[in-house]
Amino acid sequence: MNKFQPVDFQDLDDLFAYLPENELKIVQALRGLVYECIPQVKEKLSYNVPFFRLRKTVCFIWPGAVPWGGTFEGVQFGFTYGHLLTDENGYLAAGKRKYVRTKTFKSLKDINFDQLRTLLFEAIEIDAQKR
């Protein structure tokens, strides 16, 4: 724990037990999509949220209920090398970040699985080129 995060989860079960029901459903749906697209992915809790890696970190899921200097509503799905993705229709947001691109979902119906699937497959290709 630190001043930015007053929680410290031991594992994913701890995280899931902590989340409000609506965020849990979104997290589970997004995790399912990651594993569908990248079955060989390694999942690890970093900053108390799930991060997924191959050679490098590919993406993460950040529930708004998990504080990091504040909270937000919904669940954020992020690509660590999002700036390299072909995102022609501006589906992802940069915010103030140089590399990371994210999309925040407030309900399951907000998730465009086809769009995320396309971005995940591209993120896998980018990761394969990383050293």
Side-chain angles (χ1 to χ4, degrees), residues 30-53:
L30 293 171
R31 281 183 76 236
L33 180 67
V34 171
Y35 279 106
E36 170 196 317
C37 295
I38 321 171
Q40 72 279 24
V41 77
K42 303 274 188 280
E43 183 177 17
K44 180 182 177 210
L45 276 183
S46 293
Y47 307 102
N48 279 319
V49 299
F51 275 70
F52 302 88
R53 70 179 290 126

Side-chain angles (χ1 to χ4, degrees), residues 32-83:
L33 180 67
V34 171
Y35 279 106
E36 170 196 317
C37 295
I38 321 171
Q40 72 279 24
V41 77
K42 303 274 188 280
E43 183 177 17
K44 180 182 177 210
L45 276 183
S46 293
Y47 307 102
N48 279 319
V49 299
F51 275 70
F52 302 88
R53 70 179 290 126
L54 292 168
R55 289 181 174 195
K56 303 281 185 185
T57 302
V58 175
C59 59
F60 60 88
I61 300 171
W62 201 299
V66 177
W68 183 259
T71 59
F72 58 91
E73 188 182 333
V75 175
Q76 198 175 73
F77 189 90
F79 291 92
T80 47
Y81 291 97
H83 69 296

